Amino acid sequence: FFFTLEGKGPTRTCAMSSLFPTSRWSVLVASMLLELCGGSVYITNLYLAALRPRLFPGAADGEALMEYLVFASNLGNWVPLAGFLYDARRGGPRTVVFAGAALTLLGYGGLWLCSAFDVHANFAVLWLLWFLWGHGSGYFDCAAIATCSANFRESRGLVLGLTKSFYGLSGSLLTQVFLAFFAAPDAAPAFLLFLGVALCLLALALAPLVRRLAPPRPLDADSPSRRFARGYALVGALAVAMVAISLLRAFSPLA
């Protein structure tokens, strides 16, 4: 059995949890991947122009209305309700991940319906849908950051830097997915459906792994310095790869 900090004190995990053996390093990897689900707030410019005539056909102020919707997603991301759920008696990291997945699916799914089937929803409904998926992104970020902070109390700066780097890299990674499969002018609704379904499923798959664990004794028993060095090397390699791909797309005659 593993020992967790889910309740008032260390308790044994249930039989279901034993199906997902974890160390605090596997929790860190799961949290880094979870941050990929939250970074979709960075890529709205990829599909704004394509969505505008679908959501606001013929509106002279359509561009301004789209900017208000982007603000709604940012506002949802900033509202700190996820922290209250995380610390609630029946909350915790997995509950927060489940809530984020539901909000993300509802927000993106609703936008897909409105844009793919010419459902002329009023502005208040659209604003709410953008707020919901933005709010869901905040739940993913909260679950990842709070859990890693609890598991790496002696290395909070290193673990938060590593985890948040994936929140930033997610925008670049999702951009590559968009350019590879959804760059066609009429593919914006399909991309919204992809974001709603794929991010939700990935989060649900990671939820059993995102948990608070008792620290090892002694604290350096699992070689944290060496493992953090590998993690930062991975982030650096991914960042260099994203820059290289962007330059190739910008300057290649086949782009």
Side-chain angles (χ1 to χ4, degrees):
F1 289 95
F2 291 95
F3 288 87
T4 70
L5 300 178
E6 292 287 354
K8 294 290 185 179
T11 57
R12 295 191 178 210
T13 58
C14 63
M16 178 71 72
S17 300
S18 65
L19 297 175
F20 303 97
T22 57
S23 70
R24 64 176 184 166
W25 296 99
S26 61
V27 174
L28 173 57
V29 172
S31 298
M32 292 163 66
L33 294 175
L34 185 63
E35 289 284 35
L36 297 180
C37 300
S40 60
V41 292
Y42 294 126
I43 61 171
T44 53
N45 282 337
L46 293 176
Y47 50 83
L48 283 184
L51 282 184
R52 187 174 62 205
R54 293 175 175 270
L55 299 181
F56 305 109
D61 58 346
E63 184 173 354
L65 292 174
M66 293 301 296
E67 291 299 325
Y68 292 140
L69 295 181
V70 173
F71 171 75
S73 65
N74 290 330
L75 180 63
N77 190 245
W78 301 331
V79 173
L81 297 181
F84 292 97
L85 179 59
Y86 190 95
D87 289 334
R89 182 177 180 182
R90 297 186 179 274
R94 276 168 284 182
T95 303
V96 172
V97 174
F98 293 150
L103 290 167
T104 299
L105 181 61
L106 182 59
Y108 279 123
L111 289 175
W112 169 69
L113 288 173
C114 293
S115 58
F117 299 101
D118 295 325
V119 177
H120 299 299
N122 62 47
F123 180 77
V125 172
L126 294 174
W127 195 96
L128 178 61
L129 292 173
W130 282 70
F131 178 90
L132 288 177
W133 73 254
H135 198 44
S137 295
Y139 278 67
F140 296 142
D141 186 44
C142 174
I145 292 300
T147 304
C148 287
S149 295
N151 290 347
F152 292 87
R153 298 177 184 179
E154 80 288 359
S155 306
R156 285 193 179 97
L158 287 172
V159 76
L160 293 186
L162 188 57
T163 309
K164 291 297 287 187
S165 66
F166 266 70
Y167 194 69
L169 281 173
S170 63
S172 296
L173 295 171
L174 290 173
T175 296
Q176 301 309 316
V177 174
F178 175 84
L179 294 175
F181 302 105
F182 303 98
D186 60 345
F191 186 57
L192 295 176
L193 179 62
F194 165 78
L195 290 175
V197 174
L199 299 184
C200 176
L201 291 178
L202 177 58
L204 292 177
L206 295 171
L209 297 174
V210 182
R211 65 180 71 174
R212 292 169 290 193
L213 302 174
R217 292 289 185 267
L219 291 176
D220 60 351
D222 52 1
S223 305
S225 298
R226 178 165 50 88
R227 292 172 185 258
F228 276 124
R230 292 176 180 174
Y232 276 95
L234 172 62
V235 170
L238 283 174
V240 170
M242 292 299 101
V243 171
I245 292 173
S246 298
L247 291 175
L248 284 175
R249 289 187 179 275
F251 297 106
S252 173
L254 300 179

